Amino acid sequence: MKKVGIVDTTFARVDMASAAIKKLKELSPNIKIIRKTVPGIKDLPVACKKLLEEEGCDIVMALGMPGKTEKDKVCAHEASLGIIMAQLMTNKHIIEVFVHEDEAKDEKELDWLAKRRAEEHAENVYYLLFKPEKLTKMAGKGLRQGFEDVGPARE
């Protein structure tokens, strides 16, 4: 049984964790999910690290939704650096799943994008845990999580 940690925030405007959890449960019954919720995006790194070190998770998803302002973008960058440091300190993957509010043209698209990106990254978590060779086959394909794939630069 593999343990997957999921950390989300109260700042996010969409419940991305529920979408990721639903997808993971569809993909495998051999996953135990431990969910934690923190206030904001800069709280994600330590929560992820704690799930890896204290809860024994094999991998963690960090779900966040930075706002539209420049300050929000700076906070997202700082959180991303913290997530990278936590990965290096634990030698385990933390899949960063950020959806910036200004990526979507309206509220409906924002909801759709956040859920779809969470689901598609949940698939990546599944592949990392159970079928890493599948990711190798997808290398260089221009795949995107959320919006449409862009495809390879050359065929």
Side-chain angles (χ1 to χ4, degrees), residues 15-29:
D15 181 4
M16 296 161 52
S18 289
I21 291 167
K22 181 180 178 196
K23 177 55 80 174
L24 286 167
K25 287 182 177 180
E26 287 172 10
L27 292 168
S28 177

Side-chain angles (χ1 to χ4, degrees), residues 23-155:
K23 177 55 80 174
L24 286 167
K25 287 182 177 180
E26 287 172 10
L27 292 168
S28 177
N30 297 321
I31 295 175
K32 178 181 179 184
I33 297 166
I34 302 172
R35 179 180 180 177
K36 301 289 182 187
T37 304
V38 295
I41 203 160
K42 290 187 293 184
D43 302 305
L44 290 171
V46 71
C48 292
K49 186 173 180 285
K50 288 172 71 82
L51 282 171
L52 292 168
E53 292 181 339
E54 296 173 12
E55 301 287 342
C57 289
D58 297 289
I59 192 168
V60 173
M61 294 180 74
L63 308 166
M65 185 175 286
K68 297 177 183 181
T69 71
E70 186 60 31
K71 181 178 183 174
D72 294 321
K73 293 178 187 314
V74 170
C75 288
H77 181 262
E78 291 168 353
S80 187
L81 291 175
I83 289 168
I84 291 166
M85 286 190 281
Q87 289 182 86
L88 294 171
M89 288 190 288
T90 61
N91 205 30
K92 292 186 180 180
H93 288 284
I94 299 171
I95 304 302
E96 180 182 304
V97 186
F98 286 3
V99 176
H100 295 256
E101 267 191 83
D102 57 4
E103 285 186 75
K105 66 179 180 259
D106 58 32
E107 306 288 311
K108 183 178 178 183
E109 185 177 66
L110 182 65
D111 183 72
W112 170 84
L113 176 61
K115 290 174 182 170
R116 180 167 170 173
R117 187 165 292 159
E119 292 166 352
E120 290 183 338
H121 273 298
E123 289 176 3
N124 288 333
V125 165
Y126 171 77
Y127 295 142
L128 281 166
L129 289 174
F130 298 105
K131 298 181 179 184
E133 69 282 356
K134 173 100 172 160
L135 290 171
T136 302
K137 290 178 183 174
M138 296 188 299
K141 303 290 187 202
L143 304 179
R144 301 294 188 260
Q145 288 73 38
F147 289 121
E148 291 299 314
D149 298 336
V150 296
R154 298 178 80 176
E155 291 294 323

